[in-house]
Amino acid sequence: MRRTGLKWFAVLTALGMLFVLIGGALVTKTGSGMGCGRSWPLCEGQVIPSHITVAMVIELAHRLVSGSVGIALLILCIWAWKSIGHKRETKFLAIVSLLFLLLQALIGAAAVVWGQSDFVLAIHFGISLISFASVLLLTLLIFEVDQKFEADKLKLDKNMKFHIYGVTIYSYIVVYSGALVRHTKSSLVCPDWPFCVNSSPGLPGNFYEWVQMGHRAAAALIFIWIAYITYLAITRYKEQRIVYWGWIIAFILVCLQAAAGISVVLTKLNLYFALAHSLFISILFALLSYFVMLATRSKTV
């Protein structure tokens, strides 16, 4: 009965972390970061602001959700530590998820009170991403997903392990470049796709075009890389379901990610496509992180 309660609480906390992640993207994409002025944790120096705006509601809601999820995460980590602390990844994931959620909150607060450069602010989403991935992996451990897929019998060759570690690290670079596009306000600097201006393709002409086209190039490479790893999984790991189906799902996610990114450009920054873009990369990064955990456990053949 206690394990059932832990499972439900873990699911709710993981969903809450996803809301924090997408909520942060919503704050950035709607330009609501200063919705509460230079005041934190209060809004305009008040518990209940007298003058309400849309930006204020978005920013304040994000703060409230982040704070609530932070408390839930602390409870989950203590609960998991006591219940499944014997699993080697549990304590590490609990510490990482809490540490990065705290770091995310501190960077967000510093940005409000003192302001930060675009390059520092771009780290904010990536830090939240690590916290979300850690919570999701902790949830998978609680549900014993690795045992259901016989992950303890997993065998990976050196080539597959190299690709798992490499593409996961590289995905974080792609995430940072995408966040940099948003924070430098480079999202609409290139009106066309795949080139900045299709009628006159060539090298970017200014910093903002370099940021935008750099992200597109990075995203194209991860698409190709994941497609290749999926090919390896289908041709060499058909008997190992978690590898076979896991990489098929990863390829579907990177396709959805690419489609959402293209749609953001073609629709001139439609909010729903922009949020979907953040959602798909968040789930993809969590899946890649799960592959990393499996790779550290597996035997090398």
Side-chain angles (χ1 to χ4, degrees):
M1 189 68 180
R2 289 183 62 190
R3 179 59 69 88
T4 301
L6 177 59
K7 287 180 177 179
W8 278 108
F9 194 77
V11 170
L12 291 175
T13 305
L15 288 174
M17 275 303 307
L18 187 59
F19 279 123
V20 170
L21 202 60
I22 302 304
L26 179 63
V27 169
T28 302
K29 294 176 191 301
T30 57
S32 304
M34 296 305 296
C36 287
R38 294 284 181 190
S39 178
W40 192 93
L42 301 179
C43 196
E44 297 288 0
Q46 301 173 298
V47 176
I48 302 177
S50 55
H51 180 64
I52 305 296
T53 64
V54 174
M56 180 182 291
V57 171
I58 293 174
E59 170 66 8
L60 188 55
H62 177 57
R63 293 186 189 184
L64 291 173
V65 171
S66 298
S68 301
V69 171
I71 295 171
L73 179 56
L74 178 60
I75 295 171
L76 174 65
C77 289
I78 296 172
W79 196 348
W81 195 298
K82 292 183 178 180
S83 299
I84 59 168
H86 59 280
K87 295 186 178 183
R88 67 175 187 174
E89 297 92 355
T90 301
K91 295 177 181 178
F92 172 76
L93 291 173
I95 292 171
V96 169
S97 60
L98 278 173
L99 180 64
F100 276 82
L101 182 62
L102 178 62
L103 188 58
Q104 174 249 354
L106 291 175
I107 291 178
V112 169
V113 178
W114 299 297
Q116 294 287 346
S117 71
D118 294 330
F119 291 92
V120 173
L121 289 174
I123 301 174
H124 190 260
F125 182 78
I127 290 174
S128 301
L129 196 58
I130 291 177
S131 185
F132 165 67
S134 301
V135 174
L136 186 59
L137 293 186
L138 189 59
T139 302
L140 294 177
L141 284 179
I142 292 169
F143 274 84
E144 300 179 332
V145 171
D146 51 336
Q147 295 179 23
K148 294 175 183 177
F149 282 95
E150 299 180 331
D152 57 321
K153 299 178 181 178
L154 190 64
K155 295 180 180 180
L156 300 173
D157 59 32
K158 291 182 179 179
N159 188 41
M160 178 58 80
K161 284 190 174 183
F162 166 79
H163 286 302
I164 288 174
Y165 296 139
V167 80
T168 303
I169 294 170
Y170 180 71
S171 70
Y172 202 75
I173 296 173
V174 176
V175 167
Y176 180 80
S177 68
L180 195 60
V181 167
R182 293 195 300 271
H183 285 288
T184 57
K185 296 180 174 56
S186 304
S187 301
L188 296 179
V189 71
C190 292
D192 297 329
W193 192 91
F195 300 107
C196 192
V197 180
N198 287 339
S199 59
S200 57
L203 291 175
N206 57 56
F207 168 77
Y208 301 101
E209 290 182 0
W210 275 107
V211 171
Q212 173 63 248
M213 295 307 296
H215 175 61
R216 292 189 192 183
L221 179 55
I222 197 173
F223 179 89
I224 295 170
W225 198 347
I226 290 179
Y228 176 67
I229 302 173
T230 304
Y231 166 76
L232 294 179
I234 291 173
T235 55
R236 301 181 185 179
Y237 291 89
K238 197 168 186 178
E239 300 304 318
Q240 301 193 59
R241 293 183 302 156
I242 199 164
V243 178
Y244 181 85
W245 288 109
W247 281 108
I248 289 176
I249 293 172
F251 182 66
I252 292 172
L253 286 170
V254 80
C255 287
L256 292 172
Q257 170 72 1
I262 294 169
S263 298
V264 168
V265 175
L266 298 182
T267 61
K268 308 302 179 186
L269 214 61
N270 178 275
L271 182 60
Y272 296 105
F273 284 124
L275 293 178
H277 193 57
S278 299
L279 175 65
F280 293 137
I281 194 60
S282 301
I283 298 173
L284 176 60
F285 181 79
L287 178 58
L288 294 178
S289 299
Y290 182 59
F291 279 130
V292 169
M293 186 174 76
L294 292 179
T296 61
R297 292 177 170 188
S298 67
K299 298 177 182 178
T300 303
V301 295

